[in-house]
Amino acid sequence: MTDWIDRARNEMDQKVKPPGSLGRLESLAVRLAAYLETLEPRVERGRVLIFAADHGVSREGVSAYPREVTAQMVKTFSSGGAAITVLARTLGLEVEVIDVGVDADLPEMPGVVSAKVRRSSRNFLEGPALTPEELDSALEAGRAAVDRAAGADTIALGEMGIGNTTAAAALLSALTGAPPEETVGRGTGVDDERLAHKRAVVAKALRLHERALNTPRTALATVGGLEMAALAGAAIEAACQRKLVLVDGFISTVSALAAVRMNPFIRPALFFAHRSAEAGHGRALEALEAEPLLDLGMRLGEGTGSALAFPILKAAAAILREMATFSQAGVSDKQ
C-alpha cells in the first residue's frame, strides 16, 4: 500500500494547482487511490444500510423517547419522510433498511428487509444482551446486506434503535477502558438527572460483566446490540469485497471499532463521515486514529452524516482521475 500512496501523491502533486491547495481533499484522494490500487479511482454508486433494533436496556429509563419510536421510524424510512431518505434522494444514494431486532411485528414495507434475530436485545443489567448464536446471526445479517448491494462501490452505515447510545457507550468503555463519564452522552436529549442515571447504568453493567468483556466479540454480545453487530458484520464484509465504507456517527463508529478489533485488516476501508456532537464519539475516533470529514454538530444517526460525506469521496476521486497535470494543460509549473 505504501507504494500506491507514493504514486498517488506524486500524481496529485503534478496536478495543475499549487501543492496542497486542495487541502484534505488531496489526502483523501491519495487514500482512495492507495486503497483501490489505481490512479483513476471511482466513487459512483453508494448505498446506505440502516440497521434497526431495540435495546433491552431502554427499560431502565435511559432514553427520552419510548421504544415504540424504532418501529415508527422504520415506517417513516419506508415512506421516504425521514432525514436520511430526504438526503439520499437529494444526493442520489440508495437506501435499504434492515430490521434485525425491532421490538414489533412489522408488516412488509418497500425498502425494508426483515432479518430479525429476535425482538430487541436483552437488558444487559440482567444478563448478556445477546447469546453467541444471536451475535453470529446479527453479524451475518450485516454481511448479507452488503451482498445485496453488489453494484454499489460505497457502503454508508446507518442505524436506528432506542437505547443504542447507552449500549454504544458501554461497548466503547469495554473496548477502550474509558470511564462512563467520557463515553455516555445525552443521546436523544436526556436532562441532567437522566444523564447521571444513564452513566450509572453503564457503570453498573461494566462491573456486572467485567470478566466477559475481555474480547471484542464477547463485549459486543454482552453490552452491545443487534444493529451494532450487524453494522460490524457489514463493515467487515464490505472491506472483504474491496468496497469503501462510510462510517456515520457515534453508534456506527463504536460498531466499526468492534469490527476493527475483531478484524484489523479492514481499517483501510473505513472512511469516517463526521464528528458527532454525542459525547464519546471523539473517544471512539481517537481509538481508531480517525479524522472525520465533516463537523456539522449533528447527532441524529440514521446514516445522515455518511450520506453527506459521500459527495466528498466522489469529488476527491474525480480530482485525481480527471484533473489535468501541468504538462497536459500547458501551464507553467512553479520555478
Side-chain angles (χ1 to χ4, degrees), residues 231-243:
L231 286 163
I236 292 168
E237 182 60 29
C240 288
Q241 296 185 22
R242 194 58 75 88
K243 295 181 187 291

Side-chain angles (χ1 to χ4, degrees), residues 51 98 100 115-118 122 129-145 215-222 224-234 236-237 262-263:
F51 296 97
I98 306 95
V100 286
K116 197 190 297 287
V117 177
R118 56 172 285 124
R122 297 170 187 82
L130 305 172
T131 66
E133 294 76 19
E134 289 163 351
L135 175 64
D136 287 337
S137 295
L139 288 165
E140 176 55 35
R143 289 191 287 265
T215 73
R217 179 183 166 86
T218 57
L220 183 54
T222 304
L226 291 158
E227 87 280 33
M228 297 166 68
L231 286 163
I236 292 168
E237 182 60 29
M262 289 189 286
N263 294 272

Side-chain angles (χ1 to χ4, degrees), residues 16-301:
V16 59
K17 59 174 180 57
S21 58
L22 286 174
R24 288 186 61 200
L25 200 64
E26 296 189 21
S27 58
L28 180 59
V30 169
R31 264 200 71 193
L32 288 170
Y35 175 64
L36 298 173
E37 296 185 347
T38 176
L39 295 180
E40 297 185 350
R42 289 186 175 276
V43 179
E44 303 292 345
R45 181 179 167 190
R47 177 174 290 194
V48 184
L49 299 180
I50 307 172
F51 296 97
D54 285 300
H55 291 258
V57 73
S58 64
R59 295 187 179 91
E60 299 294 328
V62 294
S63 175
Y65 290 84
R67 58 199 292 123
E68 291 79 14
V69 167
T70 305
Q72 293 163 358
M73 283 304 304
V74 169
K75 295 175 183 177
T76 307
F77 295 145
S78 178
S79 66
I84 183 54
T85 45
V86 171
L87 291 173
R89 282 196 303 274
T90 302
L91 300 170
L93 288 160
E94 304 165 7
V95 176
E96 180 178 280
V97 182
I98 306 95
D99 170 15
V100 286
V102 178
D103 192 12
D105 293 323
L106 297 175
E108 290 188 10
M109 290 178 279
V112 179
V113 174
S114 178
K116 197 190 297 287
V117 177
R118 56 172 285 124
R119 287 180 54 150
S120 176
S121 62
R122 297 170 187 82
N123 184 347
F124 55 55
L125 289 190
E126 300 173 355
L130 305 172
T131 66
E133 294 76 19
E134 289 163 351
L135 175 64
D136 287 337
S137 295
L139 288 165
E140 176 55 35
R143 289 191 287 265
V146 173
D147 284 339
R148 289 191 296 273
D153 51 54
T154 304
I155 298 297
L157 301 179
E159 41 62 40
M160 175 65 214
I162 296 301
N164 61 9
T165 58
T166 303
L171 181 58
L172 178 58
S173 288
L175 294 173
T176 64
E181 290 75 19
E182 294 182 12
T183 64
V184 179
R186 296 187 184 274
T188 50
V190 298
D191 58 20
D192 289 347
E193 182 179 356
R194 193 170 291 186
L195 175 62
H197 171 65
K198 189 175 175 181
R199 287 173 175 163
V201 166
V202 171
K204 183 177 179 181
L206 295 172
R207 291 193 302 271
L208 177 66
H209 299 293
E210 183 178 5
R211 294 183 179 179
L213 303 178
N214 55 350
T215 73
R217 179 183 166 86
T218 57
L220 183 54
T222 304
V223 296
L226 291 158
E227 87 280 33
M228 297 166 68
L231 286 163
I236 292 168
E237 182 60 29
C240 288
Q241 296 185 22
R242 194 58 75 88
K243 295 181 187 291
L244 307 174
V245 181
L246 265 171
V247 182
D248 193 38
F250 182 50
I251 314 301
S252 295
T253 302
V254 174
S255 302
L257 176 60
V260 170
R261 292 288 176 86
M262 289 189 286
N263 294 272
F265 79 91
I266 74 167
R267 178 61 183 85
L270 306 182
F271 294 78
F272 292 83
H274 75 120
R275 184 178 297 277
S276 171
E278 177 67 10
H281 192 220
R283 188 70 174 81
L285 291 168
E286 179 184 326
L288 286 156
E289 298 182 353
E291 185 177 2
L293 299 174
L294 299 168
D295 188 348
L296 300 174
M298 296 167 56
R299 55 180 179 84
L300 176 61

